[in-house]
């Protein structure tokens, strides 16, 4: 089981865990840190299973609570059994980290932050930009069609963003607490901002290799934010309706291509608004 020790989890969870040192990767007592992360990974894996229909828990057991402490403890115990050293993941260890009547709410807070910072999302964030940068030389040589590349990457990103949106919607369903919802929304937004930032150098390199340029007023940052917002809107719509059809994916790819097309200057040196006005008059 892999934990991302590069993240300062003690700072990430500071307001929602009894002692931040229990979530510090640098803690000399490695087992204390691993215990904390095992609880969170257990919760995350249960969310995975519930979203995919793999959960072994009955409807009666889940009634009124999508994720209970007992479920988390059992998932954590199963994970701990496979670790190379002993860690204590019983009820006492859980309550030590998230004590009192608000313990489960604080665990939810940490789970949200962990979910949005989990290693799997780092791999997702890097895949699209890395793949495009690797393929752009082939596009510039005429060996690969740019629209085909956009279609492949946009479809992959949409699928991953749908999955992330389902996590987000699931997490919002865990509690009606307004403060907790705000934390969930902020963590989700920060992840999307990180995603958008990764695309800026890709657009710049694409323009350089393909000899293209943006319309006046357009920048790599703006285009990245626009495409990210477009992706987020489609993903949340599909995740909310549960209707993941090929038609939606085709429409999404077309919308991304339209944004990129509108952002590029064909040589008229007009901004997007001015160019649209000229077409319509």
């Amino acid at each position: 089981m892999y934990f991302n020790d590069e993240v300062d989890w003690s700072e990430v969870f500071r307001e929602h865990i009894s002692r931040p040192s229990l979530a510090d990767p640098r803690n000399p007592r490695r087992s204390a840190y691993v215990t904390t992360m095992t609880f969170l990974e257990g919760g995350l894996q249960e969310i995975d299973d519930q979203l995919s229909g793999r959960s072994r828990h009955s409807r009666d057991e889940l009634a009124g609570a999508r994720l209970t402490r007992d479920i988390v403890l059992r998932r954590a115990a199963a994970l701990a059994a496979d670790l190379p050293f002993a860690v204590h993941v019983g009820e006492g260890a859980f309550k030590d980290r998230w004590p009192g009547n608000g313990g489960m709410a604080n665990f939810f807070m940490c789970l949200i932050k962990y979910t949005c910072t989990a290693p799997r999302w780092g791999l997702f964030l890097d895949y699209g930009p890395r793949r495009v940068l690797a393929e752009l030389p082939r596009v510039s040589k005429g060996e690969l069609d740019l629209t085909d590349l956009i279609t492949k990457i946009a479809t992959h990103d949409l699928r991953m963003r749908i999955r992330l949106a389902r996590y987000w919607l699931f997490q919002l369903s865990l509690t009606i607490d307004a403060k907790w919802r705000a934390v969930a929304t902020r963590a989700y937004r920060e992840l999307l901002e990180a995603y958008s930032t990764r695309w800026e150098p890709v657009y710049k390199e694409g323009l350089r290799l393909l000899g293209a340029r943006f319309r006046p007023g357009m920048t790599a940052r703006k285009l990245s934010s626009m495409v990210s917002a477009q992706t987020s809107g489609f993903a949340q719509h599909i995740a909310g309706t549960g209707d993941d059809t090929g038609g939606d994916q085709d429409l999404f790819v077309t919308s991304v291509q339209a944004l990129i097309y509108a952002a590029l200057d064909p040589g008229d040196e007009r901004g997007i608004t001015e160019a649209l006005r000229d077409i319509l008059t």
Side-chain angles (χ1 to χ4, degrees):
M1 184 165 45
Y2 169 74
F3 300 124
N4 188 353
D5 289 1
E6 295 180 5
V7 175
D8 186 357
W9 297 109
S10 60
E11 185 62 33
V12 173
F13 303 148
R14 177 168 298 278
E15 298 177 16
H16 310 293
I17 194 168
S18 61
R19 300 188 303 283
S21 62
L22 293 172
D24 192 341
R26 299 156 298 190
N27 190 327
R29 292 181 58 237
R30 177 75 178 174
S31 61
Y33 161 71
V34 172
T35 295
T36 301
M37 304 310 287
T38 302
F39 283 130
L40 293 165
E41 183 64 25
L44 179 57
Q45 291 192 13
E46 176 61 25
I47 290 176
D48 260 337
D49 286 352
Q50 288 192 31
L51 288 175
S52 63
R54 295 191 305 264
S55 178
R56 287 173 274 180
H57 301 292
S58 67
R59 290 183 179 274
D60 289 340
E61 188 174 10
L62 293 173
R66 304 294 298 277
L67 195 65
T68 66
R69 183 168 60 200
D70 286 343
I71 291 174
V72 173
L73 292 177
R74 288 200 293 271
R75 294 302 299 244
L79 292 174
D82 293 329
L83 291 174
F85 52 89
V87 295
H88 300 288
V89 288
E91 185 173 9
F94 187 96
K95 289 183 175 180
D96 182 39
R97 287 156 175 78
W98 299 285
N101 293 331
M104 201 61 193
N106 277 317
F107 172 76
F108 286 153
M109 294 276 199
C110 293
L111 180 60
I112 283 293
K113 290 171 175 274
Y114 177 69
T115 299
C116 288
T117 321
R120 67 189 68 184
W121 298 125
L123 296 174
F124 147 61
L125 291 173
D126 289 336
Y127 173 82
R130 187 175 64 250
R131 176 75 183 276
V132 172
L133 284 173
E135 298 286 11
L136 275 174
R138 293 183 59 208
V139 173
S140 65
K141 295 175 183 177
E143 298 173 358
L144 177 65
D145 187 82
L146 179 60
T147 57
D148 290 341
L149 179 59
I150 292 173
T151 298
K152 290 178 182 178
I153 299 302
T155 301
H156 172 273
D157 276 11
L158 179 63
R159 287 172 180 164
M160 294 303 295
R161 290 282 282 272
I162 291 170
R163 188 180 180 199
L164 177 59
R166 284 174 177 156
Y167 271 93
W168 182 63
L169 292 171
F170 179 95
Q171 292 155 353
L172 291 185
S173 75
L174 289 173
T175 180
I176 60 173
D177 184 85
K179 180 182 177 182
W180 189 87
R181 285 173 177 260
V183 171
T185 302
R186 185 169 65 249
Y188 180 70
R189 184 173 61 247
E190 288 172 356
L191 181 65
L192 298 188
E193 288 174 354
Y195 166 87
S196 178
T197 300
R198 281 168 163 81
W199 278 100
E200 290 180 41
V202 177
Y203 292 128
K204 292 178 181 178
E205 180 65 7
L207 293 181
R208 187 188 71 79
L209 283 176
L210 302 178
R213 62 181 180 180
F214 285 129
R215 285 187 177 279
M218 179 56 62
T219 64
R221 175 177 287 275
K222 288 181 180 179
L223 179 58
S224 182
S225 296
M226 290 163 65
V227 173
S228 181
Q230 190 93 316
T231 310
S232 182
F234 267 87
Q236 289 184 34
H237 168 72
I238 294 172
T241 61
D243 183 18
D244 187 3
T245 64
D248 285 327
Q249 292 185 16
D250 291 343
L251 182 61
F252 168 70
V253 170
T254 299
S255 71
V256 172
Q257 291 176 342
L259 282 176
I260 295 174
Y261 178 79
L264 299 178
D265 188 348
D268 59 17
E269 298 183 353
R270 290 182 172 88
I272 292 177
T273 302
E274 186 182 357
L276 178 61
R277 185 182 298 116
D278 288 347
I279 292 174
L280 298 177
T281 56

